[in-house]
Amino acid sequence: MGDLARGRSRGSPRHVAPAADADAAVVVADAELAPRLDAVPAASTVRQLRTVGALAAEPRSSLPDVPDDRRAMILYTSGTTGKPKGVVTTHGSLRAQVTSLVTAWEWRADDRILLVLPLHHVHGIVNVLACALWSGARCDMLGQFDALETWARIARGDLTLFMAVPTIYHKLIAAWEAAPPERRREWSAGCGRMRLMVSGSAALPVRTLERWREISGHTLLERYGMTEIGMALSNPLRGERRPGFVGTPLPGVEVRLVDERGAPVVAGTPGELQVRGPTVFLEYWRRPDATAAAFQDGWFRTGDVAALERGSYRILGRSSVDIIKTGGYKISALEIEEVLRTHPAVAECAVVGVEDAEWGERVCAALELAPACDLTLSELQGWVKERLAPYKVPRALSVVRALPRNALGKVMKPEVAKLFRAPHQR
Ligand code: MCA
Ligand code: AMP
């Protein structure tokens, strides 16, 4: 599923790339979004467009029986390669992902959740929507996240669950702080019937957890997951939720930490987090080499570095500097660099993620310009917006005479990141 899924971005060929890569035959869209499909090339496999309204009007039919190993879903994710890859999950892996969460977080038919996340990622489509459907619970949807609308919905006091990325909690806190006292009281009271509020997709800053607790009375449950594996680690529903930690393996999930040679590390030592079990995806769509490279002895290599401390896992960072997490979206620095290099004024470039209190990381670009060329941040942003999703657009620009390189001529990304930090943080 691509950006087409919900009303987030304006029409351009980038929205139809996943539909084309996945060989989609039928596209189901909201009538309002249907015109975007005009950009689908005539040669593509898309034969039919169905609108949600038309589908809903058709007579109901019963669901077919499908084998567990049949492919069920493709979600596109960025990695250390330039182009996003299609992550294929089967009916069996989806069932395992959903039942793991339904069990751990005790979903019930009388739960009611508000979906504020996009449907083209696991967080929205599996953790929120599929778990609600599986449990017979109710899922209310916002067209897209809006802090005031979300607070107004929470204030009604009938939600029992809420799940979001740290940036959304940051934005809800900012809206609460800007609101008059009466409104604040209403909003905080609305959290009263909630039984669980979850944060994930990126590291939850401890100060966000603490402020949210003051405002809502809830200690956010932080969990860790990835498109390829669904959710892997979670703080407990009952019991101590440790700030800065992501807890222990969820039901059905096995994890291990290994060193660079793939050998399990001794307790207390950081290592790459690897995951095994029925929740793990089948393959990257039509990328057998990438699929093979993603596994080591049957374990999925997450590329995240973690440590086990007093029985709970802590995520320490990623093994690649080329992966950026911004607003909960994973993006590839290499994908943005490839696009920037096609700009006539750009001779060479380096894209980095720089820590940011609101977005987790912000996309920043350092450029060497071609002779006699000039480029401002807003010109660059306007040009990139035509070619990439909005959250991939650089938020800061540094024009340099020469990018920092090591003796082998390789760009040193940590040095590039320093160009964007305040002097005291360098
Ligand atoms: C938008 N803006 C940004 C960014 N995105 N600025 C800096 N960095 C960004 N990343 C700017 C826009 O240019 C605009 O500025 C203003 O913010 C509002 O833009 P808009 O698109 O309306 O933003 P938003 O609607 O407030 O979006 C923020 C968001 C969204 C709701 C946090 O990013 C989001 O839905 N994130 C969740 C992604 C997600 O579901 N991830 C899960 C992946 P101006 O006003 O100046 O134009 S699944 C996963 O990770 C695994 C499995 C897991 O563990 O869950
Ligand atoms: P995605 O590929 O979009 O599914 O993003 C998965 C990545 O998000 C993981 O590999 C982690 O780097 C990051 N992530 C998810 N949850 C957490 C968390 N609670 N803390 C830190 N990083 C997280």
Side-chain angles (χ1 to χ4, degrees):
M1 210 184 278
D3 291 346
L4 194 68
R6 292 181 89 202
R8 314 215 125 246
S9 14
R10 287 154 281 284
S12 86
R14 64 187 158 75
H15 303 301
V16 296
D21 183 76
D23 281 357
V26 179
V27 174
V28 179
D30 200 86
E32 190 192 320
L33 302 177
R36 289 191 195 167
L37 287 170
D38 294 344
V40 176
S44 87
T45 52
V46 176
R47 290 193 309 274
Q48 226 187 354
L49 166 68
R50 312 295 309 275
T51 61
V52 179
L55 271 185
E58 284 180 8
R60 291 185 181 207
S61 54
S62 52
L63 293 172
D65 275 335
V66 285
D68 265 3
D69 60 359
R70 180 164 154 182
R71 293 174 177 83
M73 177 168 81
I74 304 184
L75 296 177
Y76 280 80
T77 187
S78 295
T80 45
T81 51
K83 282 217 165 54
K85 300 188 287 276
V87 174
V88 180
T89 31
T90 62
H91 287 269
S93 44
L94 263 184
R95 181 216 301 270
Q97 290 181 11
V98 169
T99 51
S100 177
L101 291 185
V102 166
T103 307
W105 298 343
E106 299 180 12
W107 274 85
R108 301 186 306 244
D110 61 354
D111 273 323
R112 192 158 179 168
I113 191 163
L114 179 69
L115 174 72
V116 297
L117 294 163
L119 280 174
H120 61 283
H121 283 296
V122 163
H123 202 161
I125 199 160
V126 176
N127 298 21
V128 177
L129 185 61
C131 285
L133 291 172
W134 184 277
S135 312
R138 179 163 173 155
C139 179
D140 295 346
M141 296 185 181
L142 288 189
Q144 69 179 67
F145 170 73
D146 175 86
L148 296 182
E149 222 182 311
T150 302
W151 269 125
R153 190 61 198 74
I154 291 174
R156 281 206 232 153
D158 58 352
L159 298 173
T160 63
L161 295 168
F162 187 75
M163 298 181 194
V165 299
T167 301
I168 288 182
Y169 287 107
H170 185 101
K171 286 172 176 286
L172 289 173
I173 290 169
W176 189 94
E177 281 169 349
E182 179 52 28
R183 184 63 43 84
R184 289 181 181 186
R185 271 194 294 279
E186 275 169 37
W187 289 353
S188 294
C191 298
R193 260 200 73 196
M194 294 268 191
R195 64 172 187 86
L196 175 63
M197 304 187 93
V198 177
S199 172
S201 303
L204 175 66
V206 172
R207 66 184 173 283
T208 307
L209 177 140
E210 286 168 351
R211 189 71 185 120
W212 188 256
R213 185 159 46 202
E214 287 161 9
I215 287 174
S216 72
H218 286 267
T219 301
L220 291 171
L221 179 152
E222 184 172 8
R223 56 54 177 185
Y224 161 92
M226 197 169 172
T227 306
E228 289 87 337
I229 56 173
M231 298 302 108
L233 300 164
S234 171
N235 273 286
L237 178 66
R238 299 164 205 287
E240 191 201 357
R241 297 178 191 160
R242 279 168 69 187
F245 286 75
V246 291
T248 54
L250 280 156
V253 178
E254 262 187 279
V255 304
R256 68 174 190 177
L257 298 178
V258 299
D259 63 21
E260 307 78 48
R261 289 170 298 117
V265 297
V266 290
T269 316
E272 186 196 14
L273 182 68
Q274 299 194 340
V275 177
R276 189 165 75 170
T279 55
V280 175
F281 76 128
L282 177 70
E283 61 184 355
Y284 293 116
W285 181 239
R286 293 202 181 123
R287 303 285 297 274
D289 294 350
T291 307
F295 288 87
Q296 187 166 49
D297 309 326
W299 292 81
F300 174 71
R301 309 164 64 170
T302 64
D304 289 308
V305 177
L308 181 61
E309 294 172 21
R310 290 184 291 122
S312 187
Y313 285 88
R314 196 148 74 89
I315 306 296
L316 301 173
R318 283 184 295 268
S319 48
S320 169
V321 289
D322 289 321
I323 291 176
I324 301 171
K325 262 271 162 168
T326 182
Y329 283 113
K330 180 158 105 172
I331 60 186
S332 160
L334 304 182
E335 182 190 6
I336 302 171
E337 288 167 6
E338 273 176 25
V339 170
L340 293 183
R341 283 193 197 99
T342 66
H343 190 292
V346 174
E348 194 39 280
C349 64
V351 168
V352 290
V354 176
E355 312 84 79
D356 182 82
E358 181 172 13
W359 298 96
E361 288 179 297
R362 267 182 340 137
V363 177
C364 299
L367 305 183
E368 287 175 16
L369 293 182
C373 286
D374 216 1
L375 194 60
T376 64
L377 176 62
S378 65
E379 285 164 357
L380 179 76
Q381 289 178 324
W383 184 86
V384 174
K385 262 185 205 154
E386 294 299 311
R387 289 159 179 85
L388 291 171
Y391 48 87
K392 296 179 182 171
V393 174
R395 306 292 154 176
L397 169 65
S398 174
V399 173
V400 292
R401 211 169 42 78
L403 292 167
R405 293 176 187 272
N406 65 16
L408 300 172
K410 192 174 176 321
V411 172
M412 295 184 293
K413 293 271 174 110
E415 292 302 309
V416 175
K418 284 184 189 166
L419 297 171
F420 299 95
R421 291 201 187 108
H424 70 278
Q425 294 171 317
R426 284 179 193 156

